Amino acid sequence: MQLGMIGLGRMGANMVRRLMRGGHECVVWDMNPASVQALAGEGAIGTSSLEDFVAKLEQPRAIWIMVPAGDATEKTVNDLGARLHSGDIVIDGGNSYFKDDVRRSKAFREKGINYVDVGTSGGVWGLERGYCMMIGGPKEVVEHLDPIFKTLAPGRGEIPRTAGRENISGTVEDGYLYCGPSGAGHFVKMVHNGIEYGLMQAYAEGFDIFHNANSEQLPEDIRYDLNVADIAEVWRRGSVISSWLLDLTAMALLEDPELKSYTGFVQDSGEGRWTIQAAIEEAVPAEVLTSALYTRFRSRQEHTFAEKILSAMRKKFGGHLEPRSGPK
């Protein structure tokens, strides 16, 4: 199947590579010509402008946008809307706000253009591990795109089947799910990221307790000089709190036990805030997720070992780098 990809950053470029490995034809465009040239050298069809990109795609076109949420996505969507035709498909695979999806899909529907929102999880590891996808939009359009989703997804792998799913069909065990109409995919991914904040914060606070277990403020007979890297490693093996985030934490602590290369300045990408807003609108208590978000705000003022743990995990799973200095 042919797919156009706009945005060849950490995730977009690797998604193209995974699709080409799966036998799909990829037409690519990015504001950075070097990124286009690099993938063209690997077998993608490079383009020199948005006009050239659209022209090289067969109708009905399928175009995946993988650019930062917000203004960059809004501009790209609008620019495409002025150039596409009825029957074409625009897929937003970034972390857009689900209410923006609803608005955009309504505007595109008037032109006969299909709009699909895909919450995509996998970060910089997705090329090999695959991408977990949460999808919203017209069901028949999503079904048409199934070969793309199936190639990008992790597949069943070695994960044991959940008891009782033996006679249930669907794609969830392959790592992608049709969640519902426009906005549903990004809504599910939004809450996914809100939960991620809470999980990361729980690990960070636990390791901070270990890090301070030898404090001089404690009586000598209950001071412990603990190897946090070894604790992370042993928890990976049979523990009820093992996870991929813990795997990444173990890697970071082995490389830098004191996390001296991190300041503890922890960014938030927006989904955590939107999750809390949704909780407020639904009158759902979300104490843990709210606290985790507020801790990220606080991290920009003072830095603890817990915040360095958070920074380390963000770098490991998504390649997110700390800013060189806090906001001025």
Side-chain angles (χ1 to χ4, degrees):
M1 187 172 181
Q2 187 190 64
L3 180 78
M5 178 70 75
I6 297 177
L8 306 176
R10 289 189 299 261
M11 288 183 68
N14 278 345
M15 292 173 82
V16 169
R17 293 184 177 103
R18 188 172 176 91
L19 286 168
M20 290 193 298
R21 287 181 184 179
H24 299 281
E25 180 181 82
C26 292
V27 180
V28 299
W29 185 71
D30 190 275
M31 295 288 288
N32 182 0
S35 299
V36 175
Q37 291 169 8
L39 281 172
E42 297 178 36
I45 300 172
T47 60
S48 58
S49 67
L50 190 59
E51 290 76 13
D52 184 34
F53 171 80
V54 171
K56 286 182 177 175
L57 286 165
E58 302 167 2
Q59 291 183 269
R61 304 173 182 89
I63 298 173
W64 191 300
I65 301 171
M66 208 66 187
V67 302
D71 292 343
T73 296
E74 189 73 16
K75 183 179 187 307
T76 304
V77 167
N78 290 338
D79 288 348
L80 282 174
R83 293 167 171 81
L84 299 184
H85 303 112
S86 178
D88 290 343
I89 305 168
V90 173
I91 308 155
D92 179 2
N95 282 323
S96 289
Y97 189 31
F98 73 98
K99 292 183 180 180
D100 289 336
D101 294 320
V102 175
R103 170 178 55 80
R104 292 169 185 154
S105 66
K106 288 179 179 177
F108 272 7
R109 197 176 304 130
E110 294 176 359
K111 301 179 180 182
I113 300 171
N114 299 295
Y115 183 91
V116 174
D117 54 284
V118 182
T120 311
S121 181
V124 296
W125 300 80
L127 175 60
E128 301 302 332
R129 287 172 56 99
Y131 300 89
C132 174
M133 290 167 290
M134 297 137 270
I135 308 163
K139 191 169 185 178
E140 65 279 7
V141 177
V142 173
E143 290 174 347
H144 169 74
L145 295 169
D146 189 75
I148 296 295
F149 298 135
K150 192 171 186 65
T151 300
L152 289 173
R156 297 196 176 189
E158 299 178 357
I159 299 174
R161 301 194 79 173
T162 299
R165 278 205 168 267
E166 295 81 6
N167 297 317
I168 300 176
S169 61
T171 63
V172 291
E173 291 181 289
D174 291 310
Y176 62 107
L177 172 67
Y178 174 68
C179 300
S182 294
H186 277 149
F187 182 83
V188 174
K189 177 58 161 53
M190 174 189 76
V191 178
H192 163 285
N193 283 24
I195 292 171
E196 178 185 294
Y197 282 27
L199 291 171
M200 292 172 68
Q201 187 62 32
Y203 282 126
E205 291 177 7
F207 281 103
D208 204 10
I209 294 170
F210 291 149
H211 188 254
N212 289 283
N214 63 350
S215 169
E216 293 182 359
Q217 297 177 13
L218 296 169
E220 282 193 42
D221 58 351
I222 59 167
R223 293 180 197 169
Y224 303 111
D225 187 12
L226 299 170
N227 186 317
V228 291
D230 283 353
I231 292 171
E233 188 63 34
V234 76
W235 280 354
R236 295 182 61 223
R237 303 170 190 280
S239 164
V240 297
I241 61 169
S242 60
S243 72
W244 187 46
L245 287 173
L246 183 62
D247 295 346
L248 301 176
T249 303
M251 290 171 57
L253 289 171
L254 185 62
E255 294 166 0
D256 182 3
E258 291 296 320
L259 301 181
K260 292 180 180 178
S261 57
Y262 301 91
T263 66
F265 186 106
V266 186
Q267 295 277 23
D268 72 286
S269 53
E271 299 90 336
R273 303 186 191 204
W274 299 335
T275 300
I276 304 310
Q277 289 172 3
I280 292 169
E281 291 172 0
E282 298 172 14
V284 173
E287 296 97 331
V288 171
L289 307 189
T290 303
S291 176
L293 176 64
Y294 285 3
T295 298
R296 293 194 175 202
F297 296 162
R298 182 178 58 77
S299 79
R300 298 159 203 175
Q301 299 172 341
E302 56 179 297
H303 305 310
T304 66
F305 192 77
E307 284 143 7
K308 292 182 178 183
I309 286 280
L310 292 174
S311 286
M313 280 191 276
R314 291 187 85 244
K315 181 180 179 183
K316 288 297 181 186
F317 72 68
H320 303 294
L321 301 177
E322 292 178 338
R324 292 185 180 274
S325 60
K328 297 180 180 178

